[in-house]
Amino acid sequence: MSPLTDSWLSPAVATALFWAMVAACAVSQLFIMRAVFRTLPDAPTNSAVPAPRRWAEIVQVLLPIAGLAAVFLGAWRALPA
């Protein structure tokens, strides 16, 4: 085993922690998406301030989800068997 994969956590504990963090991030992302979709303004209150584009706001919510999925996939592969 390499020093990176040799740890003081048992595989069962590491797997449980992994899934707990996946669940926590999933719930967090759901609340972020809910907030974005509920609070996007229809029109700016001040004409000097440009209105945010809806597609840009949605992309800014979806990109972190894709990044988290990639990170979790890499972490899953690194977990001890």
Side-chain angles (χ1 to χ4, degrees):
M1 271 191 162
S2 74
L4 291 176
T5 58
D6 193 19
S7 102
W8 53 272
L9 288 177
S10 70
V13 172
T15 302
L17 284 173
F18 171 80
W19 286 113
M21 294 306 103
V22 168
C25 287
V27 168
S28 299
Q29 285 297 325
L30 286 174
F31 278 109
I32 290 169
M33 287 174 33
R34 179 177 163 221
V36 166
F37 289 122
R38 280 189 173 188
T39 60
L40 284 177
D42 293 331
T45 57
N46 184 354
S47 62
V49 178
R53 294 186 177 105
R54 185 163 180 86
W55 64 268
E57 294 285 332
I58 292 170
V59 167
Q60 288 178 351
V61 169
L62 295 178
L63 281 177
I65 293 172
L68 277 173
V71 168
F72 281 133
L73 180 64
W76 177 253
R77 290 181 179 181
L79 280 175

